[in-house]
Amino acid sequence: MVLKYIPYNSPSQKKQTPSSSIESRVKMPNFYPQTGPGAPINLLRGWPNPKLLPAKELLAAAGEVLTDSSIYNPALLYGADEGYGPLREAVGKWLGEFYGDAVRDWRKQQEHLGADEKLRISEERITITGGASQSLGCILNAVTDPNVTRRLWVVAPAYFLAFKIFEDAGFAGRLRAVPELDEADGKSKFSGPDVQWLRRQIQQVDDEHNKKDEQRLKPTPTTKFPKIYKHVIYCVPNFANPSSVTTSVTVRENLVKCARDFDALLICDDVYDMLQWPTEVSPSDQDSLSKAQMPRIVDIERYLDGGVKDEDFGNVISNASFSKICAPGARTGWVEAAPKLAAAVSQAGTTKSGGAPSQLTSSYITQLLISGKLTKHITTVLQPAYSRRYRSMTSAIHEHLVPLGFSLPQPSRDVIGGYFLWLKLPEGLERRGKKLVKRAEDEEKCIVAGGELFEVPTDELADVTRAKGGVDDAQRTADIARTRFTGYVRLCFSWEEEDRLVEGVRRLAVVAKKMLQGDHEGSADEDEGYAEVKNKC
């Protein structure tokens, strides 16, 4: 069965609704974690648990906005293309406080002049968006062109719902997976994407294009923007979805250099940065971290080897959102980049027509930021809650799955975060991941995400490998193997309650143990595919 997302208002979804009234649809039970001994446990859904949403804080912020005409008049009208001005200013100050110490420490190690200066992020570097997914589409619309941009390189395993955005932008068939390094302990200087591999692949693509008639690579007539990148690189540097890997500082520096050398735009999905906590916590320790542990890639670009000149667009953009740290329904996010690049994102046609998205919601979030309530919510509610969920799940994994041969990535790192855990299946199951996922749902009502879901849809026999001078068959086979994930599953700890996380892991172990012991009964053969996914991961 083909994996697909069933829209909320599709006929098949309506069949599950008690009535067609608005009230019943708003209160649909599948929008809340199910409970009870026989209820399904959803370890696939990458949503925040409803108990963690800051409803009271948002209500108070809305009250402040909607009772003051000097605030609500501009908030209720069309906004500027680059977004709600007070939020741009507030976001810049807030980010400076969160990342400032990490940037300062890195600059001192680099022996930069003025390393002790406070990190200042001007509002010219910030454009307000409708969230990370919407802004990803705007970024591609603004500064890429399928007739000029040669490849879109995706660090794999990758967030699978981004693939449709890339394809809608004209890159269907031109996505290429970038493998992560095999580093395992989380403390190496080299963790994250394999930049040396990426360099070789981009160079081969460029060599092939240079042999062709460049006349056909002119921008399309509708292109109005002064900058079109030749390549795009997409990554999630912190607590990646799905692998949960954090890219080391050295690799971040190398990514910036790679993007500069090949005229590439490096899009960093920075949505999980503030959801972080110490891996080990004693009773006297704080179960949260109020400051970033390392600089973002966009911070490194500002200062590495002289930084970005005022007249340049730069090569890095930080794509972030309030969905994970406030509420997904707020549909508000931001991008940060060199001022010219940030401004270009605001000039996509959909934004030019109606002004910045989320104008009203932006005014609410501004109140949360300037009052400090959002920071308090992150450090006193979200970080401790996710920390407890993470520890409950990992404890259950060590009890039930590790003895069966399952393993976790980067087990020795000091700081963890995000929403997900990425498990490598034991020998004997590494080629049966799809069947494990289906049997877990069919037999134990435990829903998890199989690794194949996060494989980049790409042509295995890419033109660059077929070209004269390309890699040989053995090397191509090895490269493909590094971006195939049938031997993995992803578990999410953000949606279900703690006790349900533990029970979900136990249920998964029941099925895994049966399969390892040679039980071939149960659900249909592996090639039947995944069950339908009815809601986003």
Side-chain angles (χ1 to χ4, degrees), residues 268-311:
C268 302
D269 214 334
D270 290 331
V271 298
Y272 299 105
D273 288 22
M274 295 183 183
L275 299 181
Q276 55 171 0
W277 50 87
T279 306
E280 300 294 336
V281 178
S282 67
S284 60
D285 287 338
Q286 188 176 7
D287 203 18
S288 62
L289 295 168
S290 60
K291 301 289 185 179
Q293 302 303 294
M294 62 178 68
R296 294 168 299 169
I297 298 178
V298 75
D299 298 320
I300 290 173
E301 183 199 37
R302 287 184 67 179
Y303 302 106
L304 186 68
D305 299 333
V308 182
K309 297 179 181 178
D310 292 342
E311 64 271 20

Side-chain angles (χ1 to χ4, degrees), residues 94-261:
W94 177 58
L95 296 177
E97 292 171 351
F98 181 72
Y99 293 104
D101 290 351
V103 174
R104 182 195 61 210
D105 293 344
W106 172 76
R107 293 187 67 194
K108 284 183 176 180
Q109 293 175 359
Q110 300 291 313
E111 299 182 351
H112 289 166
L113 293 175
D116 285 322
E117 296 174 357
K118 184 177 181 180
L119 177 63
R120 301 183 187 281
I121 301 174
S122 67
E123 63 182 88
E124 287 76 18
R125 292 181 58 85
I126 304 291
T127 288
I128 303 303
T129 70
S133 296
Q134 183 264 355
S135 61
L136 181 56
C138 287
I139 292 167
L140 296 173
N141 180 267
V143 292
T144 71
D145 186 316
N147 285 343
V148 177
T149 307
R150 297 168 178 177
R151 291 290 184 275
L152 202 157
W153 306 88
V154 184
V155 177
Y159 171 55
F160 75 91
L161 289 172
F163 302 153
K164 183 64 164 59
I165 301 173
F166 300 147
E167 292 170 348
D168 285 351
F171 293 99
R174 287 201 279 168
L175 305 181
R176 294 292 178 262
V178 180
E180 291 181 332
L181 294 159
D182 294 330
E183 175 276 326
D185 65 8
K187 293 188 176 181
S188 169
K189 292 174 64 178
F190 299 96
S191 62
D194 188 340
V195 181
Q196 294 306 313
W197 182 94
L198 175 62
R199 279 183 168 274
R200 291 194 299 271
Q201 297 297 312
I202 295 179
Q203 187 63 63
Q204 288 177 350
V205 169
D206 283 355
D207 290 346
E208 181 65 20
H209 274 259
N210 290 337
K211 296 175 185 177
K212 297 177 181 179
D213 182 6
E214 291 291 341
Q215 294 301 312
R216 72 177 186 84
L217 298 176
K218 290 182 178 180
T220 56
T222 56
T223 296
K224 302 293 184 182
F225 301 107
K227 175 63 182 176
I228 300 295
Y229 292 90
K230 290 182 180 178
H231 296 273
V232 174
I233 306 167
Y234 173 80
C235 65
V236 185
N238 279 340
F239 321 125
N241 177 9
S243 73
S244 77
V245 165
T246 292
T247 300
S248 64
V249 173
T250 300
V251 173
R252 294 176 189 222
E253 294 169 359
N254 291 340
L255 280 168
V256 173
K257 295 174 183 177
C258 178
R260 289 174 173 173
D261 290 346

Side-chain angles (χ1 to χ4, degrees), residues 208-484:
E208 181 65 20
H209 274 259
N210 290 337
K211 296 175 185 177
K212 297 177 181 179
D213 182 6
E214 291 291 341
Q215 294 301 312
R216 72 177 186 84
L217 298 176
K218 290 182 178 180
T220 56
T222 56
T223 296
K224 302 293 184 182
F225 301 107
K227 175 63 182 176
I228 300 295
Y229 292 90
K230 290 182 180 178
H231 296 273
V232 174
I233 306 167
Y234 173 80
C235 65
V236 185
N238 279 340
F239 321 125
N241 177 9
S243 73
S244 77
V245 165
T246 292
T247 300
S248 64
V249 173
T250 300
V251 173
R252 294 176 189 222
E253 294 169 359
N254 291 340
L255 280 168
V256 173
K257 295 174 183 177
C258 178
R260 289 174 173 173
D261 290 346
F262 290 101
D263 188 22
L265 174 62
L266 180 56
I267 302 176
C268 302
D269 214 334
D270 290 331
V271 298
Y272 299 105
D273 288 22
M274 295 183 183
L275 299 181
Q276 55 171 0
W277 50 87
T279 306
E280 300 294 336
V281 178
S282 67
S284 60
D285 287 338
Q286 188 176 7
D287 203 18
S288 62
L289 295 168
S290 60
K291 301 289 185 179
Q293 302 303 294
M294 62 178 68
R296 294 168 299 169
I297 298 178
V298 75
D299 298 320
I300 290 173
E301 183 199 37
R302 287 184 67 179
Y303 302 106
L304 186 68
D305 299 333
V308 182
K309 297 179 181 178
D310 292 342
E311 64 271 20
D312 291 339
F313 281 75
N315 296 85
V316 181
I317 189 163
S318 172
N319 188 26
S321 173
F322 290 102
S323 292
K324 301 294 189 293
I325 54 178
C326 182
R331 308 314 307 141
T332 305
W334 72 93
V335 296
E336 182 190 339
K340 279 196 169 185
L341 179 53
V345 176
S346 75
Q347 298 306 294
T350 53
T351 304
K352 287 289 291 181
S353 173
S358 308
Q359 179 78 351
L360 179 60
T361 311
S362 292
S363 67
Y364 301 162
I365 294 177
T366 302
Q367 298 300 315
L368 295 182
L369 283 179
I370 62 178
S371 67
K373 290 181 180 179
L374 182 58
T375 299
K376 182 179 179 181
H377 176 69
I378 293 169
T379 57
T380 66
V381 176
L382 296 184
Q383 289 181 352
Y386 290 137
S387 173
R388 291 191 300 270
R389 282 171 160 78
Y390 163 80
R391 291 191 176 88
S392 293
M393 179 173 274
T394 53
S395 177
I397 288 169
H398 284 289
E399 179 180 354
H400 298 291
L401 294 177
V402 171
L404 299 178
F406 286 72
S407 59
L408 289 158
Q410 297 187 321
S412 301
R413 52 184 160 173
D414 297 325
V415 176
I416 189 67
Y419 270 15
F420 307 104
L421 289 172
W422 183 242
L423 300 182
K424 186 175 183 180
L425 302 184
E427 185 177 351
L429 292 182
E430 69 270 30
R431 301 185 127 198
R432 303 165 69 195
K434 190 182 292 186
K435 191 165 188 176
L436 173 66
V437 170
K438 192 169 194 321
R439 287 189 61 174
E441 181 172 3
D442 290 349
E443 299 172 22
E444 293 290 332
K445 296 184 179 179
C446 178
I447 305 168
V448 300
E452 287 187 346
L453 190 60
F454 306 96
E455 293 178 358
V456 177
T458 185
D459 176 11
E460 292 182 358
L461 301 176
D463 56 346
V464 63
T465 63
R466 291 198 303 265
K468 184 177 180 180
V471 297
D472 58 28
D473 288 344
Q475 182 61 56
R476 181 169 66 246
T477 300
D479 288 343
I480 291 171
R482 294 179 69 192
T483 56
R484 293 293 175 263

